[in-house]
Amino acid sequence: MSQQATPQEAAIHQQQRKSLRVVVMVSGSGSNLQVLIDAMQAGALPIDIVGVISNREDAYAITRAQQAGIDVAVLSHTASGKRMAIRTFETHASAQFATWQPDLIVLAGFMRVLSADFIDNAPAPMINLHPSLLPVYKGMQTHQRAIQAGARYHGCSVHLVTAELDAGQVLTQAMLPVSAKDTADSLQARVQKLEHKLLPWTILLLTNGVISLNVNEQNVAKATYLPTLPLQLFINS
Ligand code: GRF
């Protein structure tokens, strides 16, 4: 019979376990990136954010990454000052992936539509945080649309990225009731608090194997769960 590890041995074992190499793609404030940085630094998530890609040079997310000492690639303009075409962006992003060797690519407030070619050839599964309870309200202005539709519940989803916009397999969702007083702004603020919980929770579920992503021969990822789910986390905002 094998001897049980002491708490110290268990702690060392935990530290030695390989961290998931994560690349985060951003376009804006990066509050979700910050939550991941904080969780990583606190040792609460076994991840190593090996790089951040921003498609905007004015994204505050860049400052957050730099303050944490994380490599950043700003892929917004070409050397001649022209805004980067998506193909050029993707060529540079692929080169960064080759350098950083991610196990997981996280789109956290990343606002450019990526080509099928880029998604299909990504070197790691790609997940996206979307501010609605997919499959409803794909695309933009989700909070406004939820209010206009008189939705009773709203929330956010983490899903696999596929060529079809916001249509990949949903991994996790968090929801809240919409109040009669909600405006698009108040709803956005409340949903964003949920996002800050859902994204690290989802990555934790991936790192500890509750959700596993299996990639087939066509490089298409599919999630399977330890329990039979799609997992819906009901989190207080
Ligand atoms: C999030 O609210 C996300 O739902 C949307 O963009 C926002 C990004 O926020 N797609 P941040 O950059 O993480 O602060």
Side-chain angles (χ1 to χ4, degrees):
M1 218 168 91
S2 67
Q3 234 181 337
Q4 213 174 352
T6 64
Q8 289 81 358
E9 284 169 342
I12 290 167
H13 183 68
Q14 173 79 17
Q15 278 170 9
Q16 286 173 340
R17 264 206 339 229
K18 198 175 156 279
S19 295
L20 200 72
R21 296 173 64 82
V22 176
V23 168
V24 185
M25 296 176 68
V26 295
S27 302
S29 135
S31 63
N32 285 286
L33 169 66
Q34 189 66 56
V35 169
L36 298 184
I37 291 171
D38 293 346
M40 172 180 76
Q41 290 178 340
L45 263 187
I47 61 169
D48 185 8
I49 304 176
V50 291
V52 167
I53 295 176
S54 174
N55 70 316
R56 291 188 59 126
E57 62 192 357
D58 57 353
Y60 185 63
I62 297 169
T63 305
R64 295 182 193 271
Q66 286 168 341
Q67 281 170 350
I70 297 168
D71 272 1
V72 186
V74 181
L75 307 177
S76 58
H77 292 80
T78 62
S80 64
K82 268 177 47 188
R83 183 172 184 255
M84 247 184 221
I86 191 66
R87 290 287 175 187
T88 315
F89 171 88
E90 290 176 344
T91 302
H92 288 289
S94 297
Q96 289 303 146
F97 291 160
T99 304
W100 289 331
Q101 299 278 309
D103 301 312
L104 180 71
I105 299 161
V106 178
L107 311 191
F110 180 72
M111 302 305 285
R112 278 200 92 164
V113 177
L114 297 164
S115 74
D117 203 34
F118 180 76
I119 293 165
D120 292 346
N121 290 298
M126 206 181 271
I127 61 174
N128 180 47
L129 175 63
H130 181 77
S132 81
L133 294 171
L134 291 171
V136 291
Y137 314 129
K138 294 173 180 161
M140 306 287 283
Q141 295 176 329
T142 59
H143 311 298
Q144 185 63 43
R145 285 155 63 203
I147 287 179
Q148 274 165 1
R152 290 178 58 210
Y153 293 94
H154 189 48
C156 49
S157 308
V158 175
H159 66 95
L160 288 172
V161 176
T162 56
E164 198 183 332
L165 190 69
D166 299 330
Q169 185 182 5
V170 173
L171 304 181
T172 54
Q173 295 185 312
M175 62 192 284
L176 46 70
V178 179
S179 118
K181 290 190 209 138
D182 266 318
T183 61
D185 285 349
S186 71
L187 201 49
Q188 176 182 11
R190 293 172 61 221
V191 168
Q192 200 166 41
K193 285 190 190 165
L194 285 186
E195 294 175 4
H196 294 163
K197 296 177 184 179
L198 187 69
L199 185 59
W201 263 104
T202 305
I203 294 175
L204 187 64
L205 294 172
L206 287 168
T207 58
N208 69 16
V210 173
I211 304 173
S212 22
L213 299 182
N214 310 302
V215 180
N216 70 12
E217 282 161 12
Q218 284 76 45
N219 201 30
V220 175
K222 184 173 185 330
T224 52
Y225 296 82
L226 199 53
T228 309
L229 296 165
L231 190 67
Q232 290 187 314
L233 299 176
F234 290 81
I235 305 174
N236 289 326
S237 54

